[in-house]
Amino acid sequence: MRASTFASRLLFVAFFSALAAGLSAQTLSGYNQPEKTILDVMHAPAPPQPYISPANTDILLVARQEYPSITRVAAPFLRLAGVRVEPANHSRHDTPGGYGITPCSSSFAVVHIADAKTIPVKLPDGACPGSPQWSDDGRLFAFSNIAATSVELWIGDAATGAIRQVPEVKLNPMFGDDFQWMPGQHALLVKLVPDGLGPIPEAAAAVSGPSIQESLGGKGASSTYEVRDVLTNKHDEDVFDYFADSQLALVDAASSAITPIGKAANLLEVSPAPDAHHIFVTAIHRPYSYVTTYDHFPHEAEIWNVTDPHSVSVHTIASLPLADRVPIHGVSTGPRDFEWRPTDSATLIWAEALDGGDLNKTVPNRDKVMLLKAPFTAEPVEITRTAQRYGGFYWTEKPGIALLNQEDENRHWRHTDIVNIDDPNQKPRTLWDMSYDDSYADPGSPIFRHLPNGFSVVRLDGESIFLRGSGASPQGLRPFLDQLNLDTLKTERLFRSDSSSLETAFALPGPDTRHFLTWHQSPTDPPNAFIRTLDKPATAAAGEAVYTSTAKQITQITDYTPAVRAIQKRLVKYKRADGLDLSFTLYTPPGYKEGTRVPTILYAYPLDYANASQAGQVTSSDQTFTRLHEYQLLLLAGYAILDNASFPIVGDPKKAYDTYLDQLVADADAAIKEGVRIGVVDPNRVGVTGHSHGALMTANLVAHTDLFRAGVATSGSYNKTLTPFGFQNERRSVWEAQDVYLKVSPFFYADKIKTPLLIVHGEEDANPGTTPIQAKFLYEAIRGNGGTTRLVTLPHEPHWYTAMESNEQLVYEMVNWFDKYVKNAPPPAAQQPSGK
């Protein structure tokens, strides 16, 4: 009999706790590094991102620690039904979905908008702060800090930049919502690790019995999770309950007093109402599943009345059962998507499926939207039905008026109505009805303002709202700020970024809508905040702003990688053989001379489209501030890069993958031919790389074409029969479309892969479609069939590689691989023909 699963986990935790404590640069001799020019760029600080206060008076500049050390990434964790928890401190090890490691911030600074004064925030030595949250009045901010034995709560003062730890608070961030400001108060609602929790439940000394699962009929697909990331036995269930258990409490920001609320439970979602007297809570409970993750477990949806925190009354909205048979691309039945109406004191809104949650069913309406007001003793009221899947409300400042969103995934369509939920006799008016793939017609998203109760509503100026958008166009992105009259539906363009920079409006900071904040960058100018003022009306061409404006710089972010400015880039447009418009951003290495052909790497990520007219739209910009990550660092090794090349897969969303391979080859062929035509690409020295779905693309291209001399596939899925109930946007199961699953899977063509392929994968990849076994099986298949391949498994890494050492290793591997098989490869004629 083997030792219990949990006993093995505890041994793993103990071993790696000792290992992590002793890690140093000297002991990491197993890792390799690229050349110093590349290392200097990788080791440079990341530029910060802006967090504007609700009062619109200050900006918090928050810089992330881009590549933490392997010591941080190697912290021992437990896998508990789709969430990874570090037992040493109760912290969340992974980001939601398991794609990365919970990031740390490296610096905070407060910038006063009025005078552009910057106040650095002195963080504790060795701190790992999370993202900050502003109080509703903008005077304070709060953040969590992952410490050695707990997750701490800290509060900062916007006026001085001073910060302090709240004593005795140990947050439980397992499911998020671990801290948030109470509406209109200087108090925080927190999830705490309960006092007196005791030790982690111990496993039995010997296995007490088998792990049993049973299905008694009834269809229902689920994602194929790695067995290590789901619960597998009764002891796993006990450990899940131990770490999920949370005590809700209020923390007074001034006195640091802690007031417990209600009983401890496995609290999932926690959301206070605008009146601050009611809290919407969902709590997970048994029976659990061994095939799916915590978000599908049974749970209670409740409203807690916390007017007296010592005597909480509970009203149950719904008891939701285990949802382990949700249709592919569907939703669960019963109430879902709960939200408080921001302009009422305590009114809860939610949706319920009318189609069994199944997009494949033809029904007159897919969802109904329900409303329930305090004191929550009456029956819920149905306020509307949606023809397509409910996508939520944008609430406006005007009583009753909201924008109701719905989406049709079968057509890639979005529909938005202007509705008055307080007047059922007022018919909805269509605001937008369009393909969500049509980036050129995208009207943008509303700009919001914060109410005193902390909730956000769409900002109104008379009958007009303000929209900010990315401004996709055939010439690239040109972000805009529009004013839209909800009565006339006429739009006026207030601002559009010029073509020599990328400037995005992100806030209207005051009552005067002539002033707005922007985030400005260019290939040579790092991102910085500006305040713009509209001047006088201007004669404008179609799509341009009808006002002139002047700008004043607010922040002073500097360039940490000046050597990168020697890299040039430009947008290149071309056509596929069938006439479809395509594009890529061409990067050329430092010192490049026009007309010189150089070794080139193509990077792409295929996307699915329902309509050919939208598939080739340009959705990138060559005016971003150039920063280099992963494959882009190959520029410093002398390569050109065809970056984010358009790789559309066009067809009926229900069966687009019927022609996936043919379109993939056509996309690659068109990109390389254009690179050759403009005189940059050496057609005999081209490599290809891609991540995740792009890694599948890479493996398929080296299996089915002779376009490339080598490939690098990172974190890919190469045998789609291992995810039999769908992949990417393919909804059919392998039993419904077996030929498609086989054809798109390069594993079944491993005997044809003679082009050298480097395969890289994170050892702890939790993404259901890209479990590490995918990389191992493809490597073994190519090796067994006599191909040239190399498998690099990065210890401790999830789907996106996090540690500095891991990323250094990745770049080292890519440079060496492409140097050997692309840059310095002999002419193709000197090699044995591949026979493809």
Side-chain angles (χ1 to χ4, degrees):
M1 299 287 286
R2 65 178 179 85
S4 74
T5 301
F6 188 69
S8 299
R9 290 178 183 176
L10 287 180
L11 287 173
F12 170 88
V13 167
F15 173 75
F16 278 103
S17 292
L19 175 63
L23 285 175
S24 67
Q26 287 73 33
T27 62
L28 294 173
S29 56
Y31 286 92
N32 301 108
Q33 292 181 321
E35 63 186 42
K36 184 178 183 302
T37 306
I38 294 175
L39 284 177
D40 288 345
V41 173
M42 295 183 73
H43 293 175
Q49 296 296 314
Y51 288 68
I52 188 168
S53 72
N56 295 311
T57 54
D58 298 288
I59 297 172
L60 255 176
L61 291 178
V62 179
R64 298 287 181 211
Q65 185 182 21
E66 195 148 36
Y67 300 120
S69 72
I70 192 65
T71 307
R72 164 84 179 97
V73 176
F77 63 86
L78 300 175
R79 302 169 176 86
L80 299 172
V83 62
R84 295 177 171 186
V85 176
E86 296 182 17
N89 53 20
H90 253 81
S91 70
R92 176 80 183 248
H93 184 78
D94 60 334
T95 58
Y99 290 102
I101 303 299
T102 301
C104 302
S105 301
S106 58
S107 69
F108 288 177
V110 179
V111 181
H112 300 322
I113 294 174
D115 59 8
K117 181 181 179 182
T118 299
I119 302 174
V121 175
K122 182 173 174 47
L123 297 172
D125 292 338
C128 180
S131 298
Q133 294 186 27
W134 284 103
S135 64
D136 296 337
D137 61 5
R139 292 171 54 198
L140 303 175
F141 59 91
F143 60 93
S144 62
N145 178 51
I146 300 175
T149 60
S150 67
V151 180
E152 304 166 345
L153 178 66
W154 289 67
I155 295 175
D157 186 297
T160 64
I163 59 173
R164 57 184 174 82
Q165 182 185 351
V166 180
E168 307 302 324
V169 168
K170 296 180 179 180
L171 298 174
N172 187 348
M174 182 168 174
F175 301 128
D177 285 348
D178 45 316
F179 72 96
Q180 56 193 298
W181 291 96
M182 284 295 282
Q185 300 180 14
H186 277 186
L188 288 139
L189 180 66
V190 299
K191 286 183 187 176
L192 300 178
V193 175
D195 290 336
L197 190 60
I200 301 173
E202 292 186 3
V207 176
S208 58
S211 173
I212 298 174
Q213 301 180 55
E214 183 176 25
S215 180
L216 300 175
K219 285 187 175 182
S222 63
S223 294
T224 307
Y225 297 96
E226 251 203 307
V227 67
R228 298 183 303 169
D229 278 288
V230 294
L231 304 180
T232 60
N233 54 48
K234 294 295 184 182
H235 181 252
D236 282 355
E237 295 185 39
D238 293 340
V239 177
F240 176 85
D241 285 337
Y242 175 89
F243 283 100
D245 199 19
S246 295
Q247 174 64 59
L248 208 58
L250 290 173
V251 174
D252 185 277
S255 67
S256 298
I258 302 171
T259 305
I261 300 174
K263 296 180 179 179
N266 295 350
L267 301 179
L268 186 59
E269 183 179 357
V270 175
S271 175
D275 67 358
H277 295 302
H278 297 87
I279 301 173
F280 174 74
V281 173
T282 57
I284 296 173
H285 61 78
R286 303 188 187 206
Y288 299 143
S289 168
Y290 293 177
V291 299
T292 190
T293 50
Y294 74 91
D295 46 326
H296 297 284
F297 287 175
H299 59 277
E300 300 298 304
E302 302 171 336
I303 295 176
W304 293 10
N305 187 326
V306 297
T307 304
D308 179 359
H310 303 288
S311 179
V312 175
S313 61
V314 177
H315 179 86
T316 299
I317 300 295
S319 295
L320 298 167
L322 177 67
D324 61 348
R325 296 182 181 272
V326 176
I328 297 172
H329 288 243
V331 297
S332 59
T333 56
R336 70 174 203 280
D337 296 339
F338 295 92
E339 65 171 317
W340 292 107
R341 182 175 171 180
T343 52
D344 280 2
S345 58
T347 297
L348 194 66
I349 308 283
W350 68 85
E352 297 182 25
L354 297 171
D355 60 357
D358 190 351
L359 280 175
N360 294 316
K361 291 184 178 180
T362 301
V363 293
N365 294 288
R366 296 215 174 271
D367 285 327
K368 62 180 179 180
V369 184
M370 309 299 291
L371 176 149
L372 185 61
K373 290 177 174 285
F376 312 109
T377 53
E379 289 297 312
V381 176
E382 182 180 319
I383 57 174
T384 191
R385 295 192 171 198
T386 59
Q388 302 305 328
R389 189 66 71 216
Y390 171 71
F393 286 103
Y394 291 146
W395 301 95
T396 74
E397 299 178 73
K398 198 171 183 179
I401 304 300
L403 308 183
L404 172 61
N405 301 296
Q406 47 187 305
E407 288 190 357
D408 180 2
E409 194 173 339
N410 286 324
R411 293 192 302 148
H412 285 209
W413 209 258
R414 60 180 282 202
H415 182 91
T416 302
D417 286 326
I418 305 170
V419 298
N420 187 336
I421 67 168
D422 293 337
D423 184 0
N425 296 318
Q426 187 172 321
K427 291 184 177 181
R429 289 189 300 136
T430 297
L431 178 59
W432 299 308
D433 187 60
M434 58 178 291
S435 167
Y436 56 67
D437 292 333
D438 191 355
S439 299
Y440 291 172
D442 186 354
S445 301
I447 286 183
F448 292 82
R449 82 171 183 91
H450 290 271
L451 299 175
N453 63 19
F455 283 73
S456 296
V457 293
V458 176
R459 177 160 183 167
L460 280 172
D461 184 20
E463 299 301 321
S464 294
I465 66 173
F466 297 89
L467 302 168
R468 56 177 180 172
S470 61
S473 75
Q475 291 73 45
L477 300 183
R478 292 189 60 193
F480 62 81
L481 175 66
D482 284 355
Q483 188 169 1
L484 168 66
N485 188 294
L486 293 180
D487 282 345
T488 65
L489 302 187
K490 291 184 177 179
T491 299
E492 185 177 55
R493 179 139 298 171
L494 305 179
F495 168 77
R496 190 185 189 195
S497 177
D498 62 38
S499 58
S500 61
S501 64
L502 188 72
E503 188 170 6
T504 304
F506 69 92
L508 297 169
D512 185 350
T513 57
R514 293 173 56 250
H515 305 289
F516 55 96
L517 290 170
T518 67
W519 193 242
H520 174 281
Q521 60 185 299
S522 76
T524 56
D525 299 318
N528 270 291
F530 285 73
I531 186 162
R532 277 197 171 269
T533 302
L534 297 178
D535 294 329
K536 54 187 179 181
T539 302
E544 298 295 334
V546 297
Y547 291 90
T548 60
S549 62
T550 55
K552 175 187 174 184
Q553 188 167 340
I554 302 297
T555 60
Q556 304 294 330
I557 299 167
T558 58
D559 182 0
Y560 300 117
T561 55
V564 173
R565 292 327 118 217
I567 292 169
Q568 300 297 311
K569 60 183 174 182
R570 68 179 187 269
L571 178 68
V572 176
K573 296 185 290 182
Y574 52 100
K575 290 183 181 293
R576 203 164 73 177
D578 59 3
L580 189 68
D581 289 325
L582 303 175
S583 64
F584 56 69
T585 300
L586 171 66
Y587 285 79
T588 51
Y592 175 75
K593 295 181 180 179
E594 284 296 329
T596 305
R597 296 193 184 278
V598 293
T600 302
I601 306 301
L602 182 147
Y603 174 88
Y605 188 96
L607 295 173
D608 306 334
Y609 293 89
N611 190 305
S613 66
Q614 290 132 22
Q617 293 184 353
V618 179
T619 57
S620 60
S621 172
D622 57 4
Q623 295 304 314
T624 56
F625 181 64
T626 303
R627 299 187 62 225
L628 304 182
H629 295 93
E630 297 144 353
Y631 66 93
Q632 294 171 327
L633 290 157
L634 290 163
L635 287 156
L636 301 176
Y639 293 85
I641 293 181
L642 311 185
D643 200 21
N644 286 316
S646 301
F647 264 62
I649 308 300
V650 184
D652 183 343
K654 295 180 180 179
K655 53 183 180 180
Y657 280 81
D658 288 359
T659 59
Y660 164 80
L661 201 56
D662 292 337
Q663 295 193 61
L664 206 66
V665 173
D667 292 334
D669 184 64
I672 293 173
K673 283 180 176 176
E674 181 62 17
V676 172
R677 188 193 69 80
I678 61 178
V680 175
V681 173
D682 179 346
N684 294 321
R685 294 190 295 166
V686 183
V688 60
T689 187
H691 185 82
S692 194
H693 195 48
L696 173 70
M697 169 205 75
T698 298
N700 270 314
L701 287 174
V702 299
H704 297 288
T705 78
D706 285 318
L707 295 170
F708 303 97
R709 303 300 301 276
V712 177
T714 61
S715 295
S717 172
Y718 312 108
N719 180 354
K720 290 304 182 183
T721 67
L722 297 179
T723 53
F725 291 107
F727 60 89
Q728 207 66 9
N729 289 315
E730 174 58 62
R731 306 177 198 173
R732 297 167 294 183
S733 73
V734 68
W735 299 278
E736 297 169 305
Q738 188 178 97
D739 288 347
V740 171
Y741 277 71
L742 295 177
K743 191 174 182 180
V744 305
S745 299
F747 174 82
F748 296 105
Y749 299 89
D751 59 327
K752 299 183 182 300
I753 300 179
K754 304 306 178 186
T755 300
L757 181 64
L758 169 64
I759 304 167
V760 184
H761 217 98
E763 183 182 52
E764 301 293 350
D765 192 338
N767 183 32
T770 59
T771 55
I773 200 171
Q774 292 271 3
K776 180 175 175 56
F777 279 6
L778 181 62
Y779 169 77
E780 293 289 357
I782 297 172
R783 176 182 176 273
N785 281 283
T788 300
T789 186
R790 177 178 171 90
L791 173 62
V792 177
T793 303
L794 298 172
H796 313 295
E797 290 294 350
H799 191 64
W800 287 101
Y801 316 139
T802 305
M804 176 64 76
E805 292 84 353
S806 301
N807 281 278
E808 290 173 352
Q809 184 75 41
L810 172 65
V811 177
Y812 168 87
E813 295 285 350
M814 294 181 83
V815 170
N816 283 358
W817 193 258
F818 283 136
D819 279 358
K820 181 175 181 179
Y821 294 111
V822 176
K823 182 191 287 186
N824 302 320
Q831 294 184 330
Q832 198 70 17
S834 67
K836 294 175 190 170

